[in-house]
Amino acid sequence: MTINWSGVIPAITTSFNQDYSIDFAFFGEHCRWLADAGCLGLVPCGSLGESATLSTEEKIALIETALHAVGERVPIIPGIASLSTAEAVWLAQAAESAGCHGLMVLPPYVYSTDWREMKAHVEVVMRATNLPILLYNNPPAYKTDFLPEQIAELAQEHTNLVAIKESSSDVRRVTAIRALLGERLEILVGVDDEIVEGIQAGAAGWIAGLVNAFPRESIALFQLAKQVRAGQGDHAQLDALYSWFLPLLRMDTVPKFVQLIKLAQQMVGMGNARVRAPRLELHGAELENAHEIIRYALEHRPGLDIA
């Protein structure tokens, strides 16, 4: 299955039962709900999927669940991250054997150092598979920053590197990568609250977070942004939808983004707020503030009529 990167691809959350085991039945239902809404692929086992709290066996079981649920309809592109390079290689090969369509490769969870070592890590993983690779650059979270010239170096040396999830929160990275590589790599926005700016700068797609609770609105926002960039869209309609959505999208950019997005899912009736330790569910003023933002958004939810 060929991956179409030019759309909305959720970094899907991992749902837990009351005993914090994985709720595989709901996870499959959630996969189908997102695919039904028009998402072009799914990324399980990413940061939003609480990958750092999952065992390798749980990751493979989640990947297999996603493949069984929607793998014939949309591509499954799991996150590949671990404490060690050897484990990342094992997971990449296991995902390929399971039938995944691509891989999102992250730097190591904990160890962050210089370009030579980070390049060596991702290169070993890329060489271990024949699948197309989406490189995940998220310096705020992983303290590793793949600079545009370093991304260009990797792209020139590895033909299976086909896309970059850019989460540096600097929209100028989109134009910098384009200046070096042209159309060689697909660039996907990985920070929810700069999706419109990223599309205007030339990004092709969106690895999205709030889509887990608001898929129709996410897809509508993406489509409007693409239309406006092409000179065919309604600027006022885009501005109105983005203004409504931004308080929610900003929830994707803070340390407790997992708790906030899962709370939003619970409030729209598509999931629960449970998270695995060391994360804890929101409480007190923090919880009330989040409730207020989500409640307001739901009370003023826009009607959608996007061509």
Side-chain angles (χ1 to χ4, degrees):
M1 181 186 298
T2 301
I3 300 173
N4 180 1
W5 301 103
S6 298
V8 180
I9 302 176
I12 190 169
T13 54
T14 302
S15 182
F16 299 119
N17 296 304
Q18 289 186 355
D19 64 356
Y20 297 97
S21 62
I22 296 173
D23 186 345
F24 289 103
F26 177 81
F27 182 78
E29 179 185 350
H30 193 198
C31 289
R32 288 186 288 272
W33 186 61
L34 292 168
D36 289 345
C39 296
L40 297 187
L42 295 176
V43 177
C45 305
S47 306
L48 182 53
E50 297 174 76
S51 179
T53 71
L54 304 175
S55 69
T56 53
E57 293 78 13
E58 287 176 323
K59 291 176 183 178
I60 295 302
L62 280 168
I63 289 166
E64 291 173 343
T65 301
L67 285 164
H68 179 74
V70 295
E72 294 183 358
R73 296 172 54 194
V74 299
I76 305 303
I77 311 156
I80 304 298
S82 67
L83 294 173
S84 75
T85 301
E87 185 180 66
V89 166
W90 183 91
L91 184 59
Q93 293 174 334
E96 182 172 16
S97 296
C100 290
H101 309 92
L103 304 173
M104 183 177 74
V105 176
L106 288 72
Y109 280 135
V110 174
Y111 184 67
S112 176
T113 174
D114 57 24
W115 164 234
R116 182 177 70 92
E117 290 188 321
M118 292 299 96
K119 181 185 181 186
H121 172 83
V122 297
E123 280 190 322
V124 170
V125 179
M126 289 192 287
R127 289 186 183 125
T129 177
N130 294 313
L131 293 176
I133 300 296
L134 167 72
L135 180 66
Y136 183 14
N137 186 43
N138 188 340
Y142 295 104
K143 312 308 176 187
T144 297
D145 192 359
F146 294 104
L147 300 174
E149 56 270 23
Q150 295 167 347
I151 294 165
E153 184 176 324
L154 287 169
Q156 289 159 3
E157 296 174 3
H158 299 277
T159 57
N160 64 332
L161 177 58
V162 300
I164 175 82
K165 177 185 176 184
E166 177 50 57
S167 298
S168 66
S169 298
D170 183 355
V171 73
R172 295 172 298 177
R173 291 292 183 91
V174 176
T175 51
I177 295 168
R178 279 275 176 263
L180 290 171
L181 288 170
E183 300 299 318
R184 166 66 182 83
L185 286 186
E186 301 280 8
I187 304 172
L188 291 92
V189 175
V191 181
D192 276 5
D193 69 346
E194 67 173 45
I195 179 57
V196 172
E197 295 86 348
I199 293 298
Q200 295 309 306
W206 183 12
I207 306 292
L210 268 297
V211 66
N212 282 279
F214 296 95
R216 291 181 65 249
E217 291 84 355
S218 297
I219 292 167
L221 181 65
F222 178 84
Q223 290 174 341
L224 274 171
K226 293 287 279 190
Q227 290 168 7
V228 166
R229 185 174 192 274
Q232 302 168 347
D234 186 326
H235 284 266
Q237 192 178 17
L238 174 61
D239 290 345
L241 181 55
Y242 202 25
S243 293
W244 169 83
F245 216 165
L246 267 174
L248 296 168
L249 297 177
R250 292 189 182 111
M251 292 179 171
D252 182 60
T253 67
V254 296
K256 294 184 181 179
F257 70 113
V258 176
Q259 293 94 317
L260 289 161
I261 290 172
K262 281 190 160 183
L263 176 64
Q265 283 184 242
Q266 179 173 285
M267 291 181 67
V268 301
M270 199 60 190
N272 64 70
R274 285 188 285 272
V275 290
R276 272 188 179 173
R279 287 185 174 90
L280 299 174
E281 292 183 40
L282 303 173
H283 78 292
E286 196 172 43
L287 175 61
E288 181 52 39
N289 181 62
H291 266 140
E292 184 177 343
I293 291 170
I294 299 165
R295 277 198 302 262
Y296 183 89
L298 291 172
E299 290 169 1
H300 297 83
R301 205 165 188 171
L304 299 175
D305 183 20
I306 311 301

